[in-house]
Amino acid sequence: PACKSVLRFFISITNSLGFSLQALDVRTAFLQSDEIDRDVLIKPPKEFRTNKETVWKLNKPVYGLNDAARCWFMTVKKKLIEFGCKPLKLDNSVYVYHKDGKISGFIVIHVDDFLVAGDKDFQKDILRKLEDAFLIGSRKEREFKYIGWKVTQNPGKISIDQ
């Protein structure tokens, strides 16, 4: 996850470029991951009334699995790179999209919460693809909470409160 100093830098750049800031929440993120690359066997819940020897093999990571968050992150990373975004060297949870030699937008990933900002090309080229690739639960603008911060955006000004 992005550290708070990187988030402050991101918000400052977003404001200076005049981009609109949005928070996206991905629904059931871990279940939208690529398949896990190891065998994980579990006992079915008692409600399924199977015999005692029955086990299920998980295809997708679930919450509570040690590598679930990493599997999700690698899935998102793969998609963003496929869309033409590049990770920042400073923090690999921040992705930048360039178009015609200039910055068109950013995405900050914090598990299943994305903080996004960009111009109309970014909205069209990246956000639509992101929404097609993953089931987005909510999309908030102007005033929202993001990882414990209250974010308020007005023309020419973005405020954060902890």
Side-chain angles (χ1 to χ4, degrees), residues 142-157:
R142 287 190 274 272
E143 192 169 314
F144 54 86
K145 285 208 177 248
Y146 184 78
I147 64 164
W149 285 359
K150 180 183 175 194
V151 179
T152 308
Q153 181 171 317
N154 294 305
K157 181 181 178 183

Side-chain angles (χ1 to χ4, degrees), residues 10-150:
F10 166 77
I11 290 171
S12 176
I13 295 293
T14 295
N15 193 51
S16 69
L17 293 172
F19 291 161
S20 169
L21 194 61
Q22 299 173 42
L24 306 178
D25 179 59
V26 180
R27 295 175 92 184
T28 60
F30 295 163
L31 294 177
Q32 296 187 62
S33 298
D34 291 337
E35 290 193 5
I36 50 180
D37 57 359
R38 65 186 178 98
D39 289 340
V40 178
L41 304 174
I42 63 168
K43 291 181 182 178
K46 291 176 182 160
E47 296 82 20
F48 281 87
R49 296 187 181 130
T50 60
N51 66 42
K52 291 183 180 182
E53 293 84 39
T54 301
V55 292
W56 289 350
K57 179 181 182 257
L58 292 179
N59 293 324
K60 301 278 187 161
V62 293
Y63 182 79
L65 205 57
N66 287 343
D67 49 356
R70 176 165 172 65
C71 190
W72 165 244
F73 177 78
M74 297 307 285
T75 301
V76 173
K77 176 182 177 179
K78 183 174 80 175
K79 281 291 181 194
L80 290 176
I81 290 171
E82 186 180 298
F83 299 159
C85 298
K86 294 183 179 172
L88 277 186
K89 290 180 182 178
L90 175 66
D91 189 323
N92 67 358
S93 63
V94 180
Y95 286 76
V96 181
Y97 179 68
H98 292 87
K99 186 158 187 172
D100 300 326
K102 64 177 186 148
I103 294 174
S104 181
F106 302 93
I107 298 176
V108 176
I109 304 165
H110 185 84
V111 191
D112 63 346
D113 295 317
F114 298 165
L115 193 59
V116 299
D119 59 19
K120 289 178 183 176
D121 287 331
F122 177 77
Q123 301 279 333
K124 182 181 63 164
D125 296 343
I126 303 302
L127 280 187
R128 284 191 187 151
K129 289 178 184 176
L130 196 63
E131 290 172 334
D132 288 343
F134 303 113
L135 180 61
I136 304 297
S138 66
R139 182 180 192 161
K140 297 182 180 169
E141 299 178 59
R142 287 190 274 272
E143 192 169 314
F144 54 86
K145 285 208 177 248
Y146 184 78
I147 64 164
W149 285 359
K150 180 183 175 194

